[in-house]
Amino acid sequence: MEDDTTDERADDAERELEQNVGQRFGRLPETAAERTVEGRASREEVLEFFADRFAIPPATFDDDTFWEKGAGKIWLYSGEASTPVEIEAIGMTCLRTRQEHWKPTTDFVQRFGHHASECVIDLDREQARRFAAGEDQELAWDGDWGYLIAAHTVAGEREPLGVGLYVHGELRSMVPKGRQRDL
Amino acid sequence: MEPLERYRPIIDDFEAFLAACERPLGNAVRVNTIKTSVERATTALEEDGVAYDQADWNPRVLRLETNSPGSTWTSFHGFTHGQEEVSAVPPVVLDPRPGDRVWDCCAAPGGKATQLAALMDDRGTVVANDSNLGRISALRFNAERLGATSLAVTNDDARNYSLQRFPFDEFDRALVDAPCSCEGTIRKNPDALDNWSPDHINSVAGIQKGILRRALQATCEGGTVVYSTCTFAPEENEAVVQHALETEDCRVVDFDLGLEYAPGLAEWDGETFDAALERAARIYPHHNDTGGFFVAKLEVTA
Ligand SMILES: C[S@@+](CC[C@H](N)C(=O)[O-])C[C@H]1O[C@@H](n2cnc3c(N)ncnc32)[C@H](O)[C@@H]1O
């Protein structure tokens, strides 16, 4: 698959740019048939993606709505809003869809990743430390390549760290610069 | 410390107050219950070898014995958020419920807005507003790091705020954590008093009155508004609430708080205040070894 480790770095730059433009958010159509905005994913497709790739049950998001900011990232929101809405932010960014391989965000994975049971790679403490610092590392993994949820054990339970890109025997940390930590 | 001298007549044990203001403040964090439980967060701190002390009045507030509270696993996972102990008071006094529509008028960088979302189990709507665009990015960053899905961010002047973009036309509760002269942050920012002047206090008091009035207007009858500042100046505290009592339909109500504090003032500098202002709380640094804060709880009566 294509290498897009630069994505999150682009995200940081985008965040800087966006600061100055309050933007328009549109709610995702229920299904592809109800689509009115070119290229916009539907709620059904988003739920399907989380279920197919990570086995996150669609019911997890029963109380949430999904939104797209312009022709950009998908946001997850649980409050009230009418569509479209000009606003700085609603809820949190959760997914990047307008590319071949859809990519969840680190913040989404940290918030909802505990519902996942597939494409989760368990790291030991040292591997987790390197992942949190934004480092790439060689690791064995016999599941699908592509975007994985990296996790480790905290207080006796699995805890998602963020999104990693697994290709050619290597796990690349997708933790954005501003979220990386030296632990 | 010179500007604080004028409080000698109103503060009990003024020498202890001054001594506390000279002492640097420790590191406190709030457990973010959107992402984890208090029990799991404290277990994770223990695994990290970080010693902590749980606040009696609020089990979600932990005083950490570390110089780098940002480089813990609990922080990376958004289990904890660095937030001064007294700064966790106003959301607790506002006491929002899951499903409420809540307005945080002056929300950046978001410590209290995300605390409100957590108190509501991240269910309902928290509108986190701030007029300063530069501070909005910090607010957004914190909201996402802490996983607050019920939080919407707006960038407007709270004094003439419009709810037009929302599918509702009033809030159930509002928090006015107003811009202020920040005298109470002296332990954290030793230069907090450098630009102190009566003129600055008067001009910021004008802004505070405008924001509090708008918050009361935008809140439904029977709804609650909490007014808070991190300053001692009565011009920015009792006098602002007094102005609201005179111009809007509201009253000051009691609240319980498991911290030591002094009651709001009955008079200052020749001005007398409504007796109900004694229901407000003045939290001084020597009371609980924290920063300083003022909190008043109001109910909208029409
Ligand atoms: C004490 S700080 C708020 C801290 C915040 N509640 C928290 O817990 O992180 C006051 C904020 O009021 C904002 N502010 C100042 N004037 C304002 C106005 N007219 N309308 C809205 N926000 C304003 C400032 O930009 C500042 O971020």
Side-chain angles (χ1 to χ4, degrees):
Chain A
M1 80 184 289
E2 192 182 276
D3 177 354
D4 44 4
T5 39
T6 52
D7 253 27
E8 295 280 5
R9 257 161 263 156
D11 286 357
D12 284 341
E14 195 176 297
R15 201 184 278 267
E16 300 282 301
L17 265 174
E18 281 173 3
Q19 274 181 26
N20 297 313
V21 262
Q23 275 204 45
R24 178 183 272 236
F25 288 72
R27 192 169 165 165
L28 298 196
E30 227 28 65
T31 63
E34 291 157 64
R35 170 160 43 222
T36 53
V37 176
E38 176 67 27
R40 181 163 284 174
S42 68
R43 176 186 175 87
E44 193 175 65
E45 287 162 343
V46 167
L47 295 183
E48 242 168 54
F49 169 77
F50 288 135
D52 289 353
R53 177 87 191 161
F54 301 108
I56 300 177
T60 307
F61 307 106
D62 278 356
D63 294 331
D64 305 314
T65 51
F66 293 95
W67 301 71
E68 187 178 35
K69 179 169 173 172
K73 277 181 278 184
I74 306 298
W75 294 59
L76 181 157
Y77 180 55
S78 61
E80 294 172 68
S82 24
T83 186
V85 58
E86 301 263 355
I87 198 162
E88 295 297 318
I90 39 175
M92 66 195 303
T93 56
C94 69
L95 188 65
R96 190 181 263 283
T97 57
R98 291 178 184 257
Q99 56 193 26
E100 188 187 347
H101 299 282
W102 289 11
K103 180 187 178 195
T105 63
T106 292
D107 289 319
F108 169 82
V109 159
Q110 283 201 357
R111 173 73 165 82
F112 292 96
H114 60 282
H115 295 287
S117 54
E118 280 170 27
C119 288
V120 181
I121 182 167
D122 291 297
L123 307 184
D124 64 27
R125 208 29 86 95
E126 178 53 24
Q127 292 164 341
R129 197 197 57 70
R130 289 163 66 178
F131 187 87
E135 293 169 25
D136 304 336
Q137 51 192 315
E138 303 214 332
L139 279 178
W141 164 254
D142 50 22
D144 288 350
W145 284 18
Y147 294 118
L148 305 181
I149 294 175
H152 68 153
T153 303
V154 174
E157 277 172 56
R158 184 190 253 182
E159 188 63 36
L161 291 152
V163 181
L165 175 63
Y166 192 86
V167 277
H168 305 296
E170 187 182 59
L171 180 70
R172 300 182 186 167
S173 171
M174 298 285 121
V175 176
K177 268 235 155 47
R179 292 284 270 114
Q180 291 170 9
R181 294 290 167 86
D182 281 316
L183 290 141
Chain B
M1 295 293 159
E2 184 57 31
L4 303 182
E5 271 302 318
R6 65 188 195 124
Y7 305 132
R8 193 177 279 275
I10 59 165
I11 298 180
D12 269 354
D13 203 352
F14 192 71
E15 296 310 320
F17 165 79
L18 282 184
C21 288
E22 304 271 4
R23 280 197 306 272
L25 203 60
N27 281 307
V29 296
R30 175 176 56 80
V31 175
N32 173 34
T33 51
I34 293 175
K35 279 187 158 180
T36 197
S37 63
V38 172
E39 198 190 358
R40 187 140 181 263
T42 52
T43 307
L45 283 170
E46 284 159 21
E47 283 181 357
D48 270 359
V50 179
Y52 63 88
D53 180 28
Q54 206 162 4
D56 289 333
W57 69 278
N58 187 341
R60 298 179 181 191
V61 172
L62 311 174
R63 303 176 197 120
L64 298 193
E65 287 167 34
T66 169
N67 292 322
S68 44
S71 28
T72 56
W73 281 112
T74 57
S75 168
F76 178 76
H77 285 295
F79 288 3
T80 54
H81 181 65
Q83 187 173 341
E84 221 266 279
E85 180 168 347
V86 268
S87 153
V89 169
V92 170
V93 174
L94 188 64
D95 193 21
R97 309 296 158 86
D100 276 353
R101 296 162 176 159
V102 179
W103 185 29
D104 188 345
C105 311
C106 306
K112 297 181 195 71
T114 51
Q115 184 183 357
L116 291 168
L119 289 170
M120 293 157 62
D121 296 332
D122 207 19
R123 284 289 164 257
T125 304
V126 177
V127 176
N129 176 70
D130 203 281
S131 62
N132 184 331
L133 191 55
R135 290 169 64 101
I136 291 278
S137 56
L139 169 60
R140 279 180 47 185
F141 178 84
N142 285 325
E144 294 202 53
R145 186 179 81 83
L146 300 174
T149 65
S150 58
L151 193 147
V153 179
T154 63
N155 176 216
D156 291 313
D157 188 326
R159 288 172 290 184
N160 44 34
Y161 196 77
S162 159
L163 277 78
Q164 191 221 314
R165 60 159 83 79
F166 294 103
F168 48 86
D169 51 22
E170 49 189 14
F171 292 101
D172 299 305
R173 291 167 211 265
L175 173 62
V176 182
D177 186 43
C180 70
S181 58
C182 298
E183 295 167 345
T185 65
I186 183 78
R187 302 182 65 180
K188 203 167 58 184
N189 316 311
D191 50 7
L193 300 176
D194 287 2
N195 297 318
W196 192 96
S197 80
D199 279 354
H200 175 239
I201 289 188
N202 288 333
S203 78
V204 80
I207 297 170
Q208 293 160 341
K209 287 173 183 165
I211 300 176
L212 179 54
R213 287 191 64 181
R214 183 66 194 117
L216 289 160
Q217 293 160 3
T219 301
C220 67
E221 183 178 345
T224 305
V225 176
V226 164
Y227 178 76
S228 62
T229 70
C230 53
T231 204
F232 309 119
E235 297 86 346
E236 300 179 54
N237 293 327
E238 286 86 349
V240 172
V241 177
Q242 177 70 30
H243 177 79
L245 290 176
E246 287 164 7
T247 50
E248 300 295 330
D249 294 309
C250 64
R251 62 189 192 102
V252 184
V253 296
D254 281 317
F255 56 87
D256 290 323
L257 184 63
L259 278 171
E260 196 183 322
Y261 59 86
L265 301 179
E267 58 172 344
W268 173 255
D269 206 19
E271 191 186 350
T272 51
F273 304 122
D274 192 298
L277 268 155
E278 291 189 22
R279 295 176 172 157
R282 295 187 145 259
I283 306 174
Y284 294 121
H286 60 303
H287 281 153
N288 313 278
D289 195 20
T290 61
F293 240 79
F294 173 88
V295 187
K297 183 173 187 172
L298 294 101
E299 187 189 292
V300 176
T301 52

